[in-house]
Amino acid sequence: MINEFGIEPEAEHFSCMIDLLSRAGKLGEAKRLIETMPFTPGMAAWATLLGACRKHGKMELAEIAANELLQLEPTNATPYVVLANMYTDFGKWEDVARVRKLMRDRGIKKLPGCSWLELHNRVHVFVAEDNSHPMMKEIHDYLDWMVLKIKHAGYVPDLRFALVKGDETGEGEKETRLRHHSEKLAVAFGLLSTTDGAPIVVMKNLRICGDCHNAMKYISQISCRKITVRDANRFHCFERGNCSCGDYW
């Protein structure tokens, strides 16, 4: 950029490079770039690295990135939640409890996850384990049937995203919790309430969970529908068993 085009790299260029290195799994190089770039690292740089650490399972580096984020913005719930979820993935339940206690002590609350879609000029909102929607029985029955279909196609529930200790509940209960995540409820309602072939567009206030993301790919394949989920990070366009994000978000 400098030698051939006479362009001085700005913060945005460094952010793009950090993202590219993170996506490629070169997290050490991404961290060094953050620490040596001629700008004070902001939330975006450390958040990018933290997200990549969860994707690639780098626990120690995730702790460093999360601590940097907490120094920059101590009231932001996201670093706490990502760190707690990673500790869950690694089965470090004492660390999970420590992070959750820290959130309580600091008065920081995680937003409850909810998903919604608009149909016939009415917004339908879904929350995990919420049975208030008048079609909830039909939705649960449909999800039971759909999960059987996608399992035959290769879907394996990722029980880590049930976010409960292994000795607290059985696998059947964990699968049920996963099945009742808000984005699955919203998509099932959309599939039940629209004509064959019609696209489904769902909004979610938080990041889509890994199990739901995987399930949506199979559901789009089985249902022959285009399913779009707009979560807190980006649009996920599921079609024919693939997602537009390339499984990195």
Side-chain angles (χ1 to χ4, degrees):
M1 288 177 64
I2 296 172
N3 295 336
E4 295 186 28
F5 299 98
I7 299 172
E8 192 71 31
E10 298 183 2
E12 291 81 2
H13 299 108
F14 280 89
S15 294
C16 290
M17 196 64 195
I18 292 164
D19 186 44
L20 286 169
L21 290 169
S22 297
R23 286 172 180 265
K26 298 182 178 182
L27 304 187
E29 291 183 39
K31 179 176 178 288
R32 284 193 293 274
L33 185 59
I34 292 172
E35 294 172 336
T36 59
M37 66 182 185
F39 302 97
T40 301
M43 290 288 294
W46 289 113
T48 298
L49 184 60
L50 179 59
C53 287
R54 184 172 191 196
K55 175 70 176 178
H56 296 289
K58 301 296 183 180
M59 190 70 250
E60 291 184 7
L61 191 52
E63 291 174 329
I64 294 172
N67 287 330
E68 292 289 344
L69 284 168
L70 293 178
Q71 290 182 34
L72 290 169
E73 197 170 327
T75 59
N76 186 342
T78 300
Y80 298 93
V81 173
V82 173
L83 203 55
N85 288 344
M86 286 192 69
Y87 284 136
T88 300
D89 292 346
F90 282 83
K92 296 185 175 183
W93 296 104
E94 289 185 2
D95 289 317
V96 174
R98 176 176 56 81
V99 173
R100 290 177 177 172
K101 182 179 183 301
L102 188 60
M103 291 181 70
R104 288 195 301 271
D105 292 344
R106 294 181 177 180
I108 297 166
K109 295 182 179 179
K110 175 188 174 184
L111 286 173
C114 68
S115 302
W116 63 94
L117 74 165
E118 184 177 344
L119 191 64
H120 306 311
N121 296 319
R122 180 184 171 189
V123 176
H124 298 261
V125 181
F126 297 88
V127 179
E129 304 296 337
D130 178 21
N131 293 314
S132 61
H133 195 279
M135 284 184 61
M136 195 54 72
K137 184 182 184 306
E138 293 92 330
I139 292 170
H140 285 169
D141 289 344
Y142 181 84
L143 279 173
D144 290 343
W145 173 81
M146 179 58 76
V147 167
L148 287 176
K149 296 282 288 185
I150 62 178
K151 278 184 175 181
H152 284 302
Y155 163 72
V156 178
D158 193 337
L159 302 181
R160 295 176 301 167
F161 292 96
L163 299 181
V164 291
K165 292 176 66 174
D167 57 357
E168 287 182 352
T169 184
E171 286 196 6
E173 176 62 24
K174 288 182 180 180
E175 280 199 38
T176 300
R177 291 194 184 192
L178 288 177
R179 201 173 306 166
H180 295 170
H181 279 189
S182 66
E183 52 266 60
K184 289 192 183 82
L185 297 174
V187 166
F189 170 73
L191 292 172
L192 281 169
S193 306
T194 56
T195 57
D196 288 345
I200 306 296
V201 180
V202 169
M203 309 292 285
K204 181 176 172 64
N205 66 331
L206 302 176
R207 180 182 184 270
I208 186 173
C209 98
D211 179 76
C212 286
H213 189 275
N214 190 35
M216 294 301 173
K217 292 193 295 182
Y218 283 101
I219 292 172
S220 71
Q221 182 179 9
I222 296 297
S223 65
C224 298
R225 300 278 199 109
K226 182 176 181 180
I227 300 170
T228 301
V229 178
R230 174 63 168 105
D231 73 358
N233 285 9
R234 58 179 48 85
F235 285 93
H236 297 270
C237 299
F238 302 94
E239 192 170 14
R240 299 176 183 176
N242 297 300
C243 180
S244 58
C245 78
D247 296 338
Y248 189 102
W249 74 101

